[in-house]
Amino acid sequence: MEKIKMTTPLVEMDGDEMTRILWQMIKDDLILPYVDLKTEYYDLGLKHRDETNDQVTVDSAKAALKYGVAVKCATITPNAARVEEYGLKEMWKSPNGTIRAIMDGTVFRAPIVVKGIEPCVRNWKKPITLARHAYGDVYKATEMKIDGPGKAELVFTAEDGTETRALIHEFDGPGVLQGMHNLEKSMKSFARSCFQFALESKQDLWFATKDTISKKYDHTFKDIFQEIYDSEYKNAFEKAGITYFYTLIDDAVARIMKAEGGFIWACKNYDGDVMSDMVSSAFGSLAMMTSVLVSPDGKFEYEAAHGTVQRHYYKHLKGEETSTNSVATIFAWTGALRKRGELDGIQELADFADKLEKATLSTIENGKMTKDLALITSIENPTVLSSEGFIKAVKEELEKIM
Ligand code: NAP
Ligand code: MG
């Protein structure tokens, strides 16, 4: 069989620990035999980030903007222990944070749904994708503890010195205060990324805030989404047969529980933080969540939602057998290859991504899986495979479909 040719390189961001091991196995066994893989390679492994003073992370994000599609392995975000472990020059910033800031994107997290791993919510049949706004609100708030009676006001001083004031509260005893903000630019980017992603993935988009209570702050989010929808996306949505739906956050939560799934739920920063953990645990496992960063002008960076699985890596280093789930990392590759295929008009490449996903899911549905899934599956007597054993089993399935 001739290998599938690519025209534009995929931006490949290699990473750390156990996921770096899986990365190589996935490439060697599941991709390189079938695809004449063209990548622009960036080594985001912690050692190389340190050697380049983290320049490699910045370069990789710029390459993602240039070429439009990237695939990223999980990476270590250094803390004090890692500085010592790797003898780092500095406690480098989170690579995901750096990449997000450069791509100005929104993160979409979606569960990989497979027979045998059933969501806790019985009627969820299709994935629910969560889009979290990643700027401002309570994450960039200023807070104060008030010791006794007094008057709290919001004061905005314009560049020309004009002050606008609003009373927050006349305290007659101790209490607490909080001031937070968001930016029109960031809210607009968030809205465009959501509409763009809904179109790309042909799914309905839900957005919810508490605008009845927060008549200026949350209402501005609602208005921005509506204005951008009406002026830029309405026609395209109608053509694609998808809808944009706004509701109150409490109404959304109630509806989600009764819905079938198969849509995108856009959330403000705090709601997204809380709800994404709820949705992902209800769907089964962090090792079955994909994550894609989408910039407002439609550039994509695909990755697994989990980290570098450090505990398994140390076992691996000791020569012990591991059973680490590679599904989300495989799906990061398929997501990126499919998108590259679509953008470059290479149908074979997009088809290959579909086949690899199908082979991965069939393997699990046939009862062959890693330990984390074996513990929660509804399939009787599953076969527990090692990290490598699972990838080999997927390859066997893939050979049948190819
Ligand atoms: P983690 O790597 O996601 O692992 C946490 C635990 O979840 C593991 O110990 C394992 O449980 C289970 N798990 C996660 N992924 C799994 C998989 N694919 N297969 C089987 N089990 C899996 O999170 P962490 O231990 O908090 O973080 C480790 C490193 O990853 C940190 O240095 C952190 O900075 C980094 N991190 C990176 C990203 C990213 O690059 N996007 C995201 C999060 C964390 P058991 O040990 O019980 O088997
Ligand atoms: Mg959280």
Side-chain angles (χ1 to χ4, degrees), residues 76-94:
I76 293 169
T77 297
N79 54 17
R82 298 298 201 165
V83 171
E84 191 167 326
E85 182 183 354
Y86 284 81
L88 301 179
K89 292 184 237 173
E90 251 183 62
M91 198 186 290
W92 305 109
K93 280 192 271 183
S94 148

Tab-separated table of all heavy atoms in Angstrom, residues 76-94:
chain	number	residue	atom	x	y	z
A	76	ILE	N	5.078	18.936	31.156
A	76	ILE	CA	5.175	19.279	32.575
A	76	ILE	C	5.075	20.798	32.738
A	76	ILE	O	5.754	21.541	32.033
A	76	ILE	CB	6.529	18.815	33.147
A	76	ILE	CG1	6.615	17.291	33.159
A	76	ILE	CG2	6.772	19.398	34.540
A	76	ILE	CD1	8.017	16.756	33.461
A	77	THR	N	4.224	21.242	33.651
A	77	THR	CA	4.264	22.634	34.084
A	77	THR	C	5.135	22.646	35.333
A	77	THR	O	4.763	22.062	36.346
A	77	THR	CB	2.858	23.162	34.412
A	77	THR	OG1	2.079	23.125	33.226
A	77	THR	CG2	2.913	24.593	34.934
A	78	PRO	N	6.328	23.258	35.263
A	78	PRO	CA	7.248	23.134	36.387
A	78	PRO	C	6.725	23.770	37.679
A	78	PRO	O	6.076	24.814	37.645
A	78	PRO	CB	8.500	23.870	35.914
A	78	PRO	CG	8.311	24.192	34.492
A	78	PRO	CD	6.857	24.093	34.178
A	79	ASN	N	7.009	23.085	38.782
A	79	ASN	CA	6.832	23.648	40.123
A	79	ASN	C	8.196	23.518	40.813
A	79	ASN	O	9.163	23.123	40.158
A	79	ASN	CB	5.722	22.904	40.876
A	79	ASN	CG	5.970	21.393	40.897
A	79	ASN	OD1	7.076	20.924	40.642
A	79	ASN	ND2	4.935	20.636	41.207
A	80	ALA	N	8.254	23.825	42.101
A	80	ALA	CA	9.551	23.809	42.794
A	80	ALA	C	10.218	22.435	42.690
A	80	ALA	O	11.432	22.332	42.451
A	80	ALA	CB	9.356	24.212	44.245
A	81	ALA	N	9.418	21.368	42.826
A	81	ALA	CA	9.982	20.015	42.772
A	81	ALA	C	10.598	19.720	41.402
A	81	ALA	O	11.650	19.077	41.304
A	81	ALA	CB	8.891	18.994	43.085
A	82	ARG	N	9.954	20.210	40.354
A	82	ARG	CA	10.461	19.973	38.992
A	82	ARG	C	11.726	20.777	38.720
A	82	ARG	O	12.604	20.322	37.969
A	82	ARG	CB	9.390	20.368	37.966
A	82	ARG	CG	8.103	19.582	38.054
A	82	ARG	CD	8.302	18.122	37.798
A	82	ARG	NE	7.045	17.486	37.415
A	82	ARG	CZ	6.956	16.295	36.852
A	82	ARG	NH1	8.058	15.578	36.663
A	82	ARG	NH2	5.793	15.785	36.527
A	83	VAL	N	11.813	21.966	39.306
A	83	VAL	CA	13.018	22.794	39.136
A	83	VAL	C	14.219	22.010	39.647
A	83	VAL	O	15.269	21.953	39.009
A	83	VAL	CB	12.868	24.148	39.868
A	83	VAL	CG1	14.184	24.911	39.874
A	83	VAL	CG2	11.766	24.990	39.224
A	84	GLU	N	14.013	21.332	40.779
A	84	GLU	CA	15.091	20.543	41.352
A	84	GLU	C	15.349	19.278	40.540
A	84	GLU	O	16.485	18.978	40.170
A	84	GLU	CB	14.720	20.182	42.799
A	84	GLU	CG	15.901	19.598	43.549
A	84	GLU	CD	15.614	19.542	45.041
A	84	GLU	OE1	14.903	20.458	45.546
A	84	GLU	OE2	16.081	18.587	45.686
A	85	GLU	N	14.253	18.573	40.207
A	85	GLU	CA	14.364	17.310	39.467
A	85	GLU	C	15.120	17.483	38.146
A	85	GLU	O	15.935	16.652	37.776
A	85	GLU	CB	12.953	16.753	39.202
A	85	GLU	CG	12.924	15.410	38.483
A	85	GLU	CD	11.498	14.930	38.171
A	85	GLU	OE1	10.524	15.584	38.612
A	85	GLU	OE2	11.378	13.904	37.472
A	86	TYR	N	14.841	18.566	37.435
A	86	TYR	CA	15.444	18.771	36.114
A	86	TYR	C	16.582	19.803	36.130
A	86	TYR	O	17.126	20.126	35.085
A	86	TYR	CB	14.366	19.217	35.107
A	86	TYR	CG	13.473	18.087	34.648
A	86	TYR	CD1	12.412	17.656	35.436
A	86	TYR	CD2	13.692	17.452	33.426
A	86	TYR	CE1	11.587	16.612	35.020
A	86	TYR	CE2	12.880	16.413	32.999
A	86	TYR	CZ	11.825	15.996	33.802
A	86	TYR	OH	11.022	14.967	33.392
A	87	GLY	N	16.917	20.331	37.320
A	87	GLY	CA	17.956	21.348	37.427
A	87	GLY	C	17.677	22.549	36.529
A	87	GLY	O	18.547	23.006	35.782
A	88	LEU	N	16.454	23.062	36.591
A	88	LEU	CA	16.022	24.122	35.666
A	88	LEU	C	16.642	25.473	35.997
A	88	LEU	O	16.876	25.791	37.156
A	88	LEU	CB	14.500	24.267	35.699
A	88	LEU	CG	13.674	23.038	35.323
A	88	LEU	CD1	12.191	23.361	35.438
A	88	LEU	CD2	14.011	22.587	33.905
A	89	LYS	N	16.857	26.271	34.956
A	89	LYS	CA	17.354	27.637	35.147
A	89	LYS	C	16.287	28.507	35.785
A	89	LYS	O	16.577	29.460	36.500
A	89	LYS	CB	17.720	28.246	33.783
A	89	LYS	CG	18.917	27.593	33.108
A	89	LYS	CD	19.261	28.337	31.821
A	89	LYS	CE	19.238	27.385	30.641
A	89	LYS	NZ	19.394	28.015	29.344
A	90	GLU	N	15.022	28.202	35.453
A	90	GLU	CA	13.894	29.007	35.938
A	90	GLU	C	12.667	28.119	36.062
A	90	GLU	O	12.615	27.071	35.427
A	90	GLU	CB	13.544	30.069	34.883
A	90	GLU	CG	13.902	31.490	35.240
A	90	GLU	CD	13.447	32.438	34.147
A	90	GLU	OE1	12.237	32.512	33.902
A	90	GLU	OE2	14.331	33.076	33.531
A	91	MET	N	11.677	28.602	36.812
A	91	MET	CA	10.422	27.857	36.867
A	91	MET	C	9.566	28.311	35.675
A	91	MET	O	8.731	29.206	35.797
A	91	MET	CB	9.697	28.130	38.197
A	91	MET	CG	8.647	27.089	38.525
A	91	MET	SD	7.694	27.496	39.984
A	91	MET	CE	8.874	27.281	41.293
A	92	TRP	N	9.814	27.718	34.526
A	92	TRP	CA	9.163	28.154	33.280
A	92	TRP	C	7.652	28.109	33.396
A	92	TRP	O	7.090	27.289	34.112
A	92	TRP	CB	9.642	27.301	32.092
A	92	TRP	CG	11.135	27.319	31.968
A	92	TRP	CD1	11.988	26.291	32.234
A	92	TRP	CD2	11.950	28.443	31.623
A	92	TRP	NE1	13.299	26.694	32.056
A	92	TRP	CE2	13.299	28.012	31.681
A	92	TRP	CE3	11.684	29.762	31.252
A	92	TRP	CZ2	14.377	28.850	31.402
A	92	TRP	CZ3	12.750	30.596	30.970
A	92	TRP	CH2	14.079	30.149	31.041
A	93	LYS	N	7.021	28.997	32.655
A	93	LYS	CA	5.549	29.090	32.703
A	93	LYS	C	4.900	27.876	32.045
A	93	LYS	O	5.537	27.159	31.286
A	93	LYS	CB	5.095	30.362	31.967
A	93	LYS	CG	5.239	31.609	32.821
A	93	LYS	CD	4.513	32.776	32.188
A	93	LYS	CE	5.421	33.525	31.248
A	93	LYS	NZ	4.863	34.701	30.639
A	94	SER	N	3.635	27.689	32.310
A	94	SER	CA	2.888	26.592	31.697
A	94	SER	C	2.903	26.744	30.174
A	94	SER	O	2.504	27.790	29.645
A	94	SER	CB	1.443	26.629	32.201
A	94	SER	OG	0.565	26.161	31.202
